[in-house]
Amino acid sequence: MNIESAFHLASQKNAPELLDNRSANERAILTLIRQRIALPKAEIAQLTGLSAQSATVIIKKLESDGLVKRLTPIKGGVGQPKVPFGLNANGAFSIGLKIGRRSFDMTLLDLKGKVKATLNEKFAYPTVSNLLNFAERAFNVLTKSLDTAQQSLVRGLGIAMPFEIWSWAEEAGAPKKELDEWKEFDPQSTLESLLNLPVFIKNDAGAACSAEMSFGNPKRFESFLYIFVGTFLGGGLVLNNQLVNGKTGNAGAIGSLPFFSQNKQRQLIAQSSLYLLERKLNQAGEDANHIYESPSHWQCDESIVEAWIGETAKGLAFASQCAMSLLDLDGVIIDGAIPGNIKELLVEKTQSALKQVDMRGITPARINPGHVGVKAQSIGSANLALQANYY
């Protein structure tokens, strides 16, 4: 079976039908308002390059369609108070499904990017049958939290998943036979039929990167490498404010980079992933499931965690060096299914590790923590249908 047939993203041969496809100018205005939170018509016209009349016509249409709304007028200055426009949170909704190696998440997102509801299921390894059972059950629960009118405004299901979820079975501690079932599984057509919604698919780390683009990135990097430290290490790439997918949707897949340690070559996944910490904790007699069950707060041996941070940082510094030498980016953003204090330490250690490598001829990398956090993959999956229709 050709992997692209089930997991193709770049040209998406079976591109889902958009339920509320907007024009380029409408998308430009919605994107601006999303980024700036609130903008009056005059500023919208100036920033988009549209005439005042064109901007007014489009904003009126978006307001009539329930996508934007008038906010409290800004008083002060000469003339009438300026009336800013903001997104109408209830103007549209999207559902996301994160398929991970240790858990499934389904998330309901409103137009402003706020999580309305979420459901989670954890397991030792993912199976197709468990996914389908979870998807149907969780979808019914989440949609019941909306009234009838709001249910009609759900614009699709986004899926964030590793595109070769059957790979690295040994590292994941899963039976190869069960993971191989994913090779023949077509998530797009199967879930479209099951849930009667258009389905949008993206690599899990790429989806997390899109969430950071939409709802994070406070430094406003226009080009950056995004790193997500999960069960397995993943990444995403943004160039000139555009998420780069690549031919098969795997652009930024830094986990597959070759990494040399003690004169041995292995993939970067085997240097900077959470499953390595899981193994160390298990070997020390601790319950390693804790790091997945409570990703916002760990209670485990600090010396083991510190050692893992140090080794992980070496790998992230290597990936950062490669990205900066090839692409001359604004910086690197590190996020993950890890507590905030661990993330801050990992950023600090990665920056320190970069100072130990030969960066001559390369612009020094600015390393920043991700803003979206633990649920970046889940929020990113739910954001896919909103992006497809509105941004």
Side-chain angles (χ1 to χ4, degrees), residues 326-339:
L326 285 171
L327 300 166
D328 195 17
L329 304 169
D330 295 330
V332 176
I333 294 176
I334 297 174
D335 215 334
I338 55 180

Side-chain angles (χ1 to χ4, degrees), residues 1-7 166 180-187:
M1 177 184 178
N2 185 344
I3 291 173
E4 284 193 38
S5 65
F7 296 103
W166 54 85
D180 279 348
E181 291 179 2
W182 291 93
K183 290 183 179 180
E184 303 301 324
F185 176 59
D186 184 342

Side-chain angles (χ1 to χ4, degrees), residues 76 136 174 233 366:
E136 187 171 22
L233 181 71
R366 289 191 287 167

Side-chain angles (χ1 to χ4, degrees), residues 9 159-163 201-214 224 226-228 233-238 242-245 249-254 376-381 383-384 387:
L9 175 68
I159 298 177
M161 65 181 297
F163 278 2
I201 303 177
K202 191 176 288 292
N203 176 279
D204 52 354
C209 183
S210 75
E212 185 67 29
M213 285 178 62
S214 297
F224 60 90
Y226 176 84
I227 297 174
F228 191 88
L233 181 71
L237 179 63
V238 174
Q242 296 293 319
L243 181 65
V244 178
N245 292 317
N250 281 320
I254 60 169
Q377 294 172 322
S378 301
I379 293 172
S381 67
N383 192 40
L384 294 178
Q387 281 186 313

Side-chain angles (χ1 to χ4, degrees), residues 205-222:
C209 183
S210 75
E212 185 67 29
M213 285 178 62
S214 297
F215 311 118
N217 189 22
K219 299 294 185 181
R220 293 286 174 250
F221 288 167
E222 294 185 357

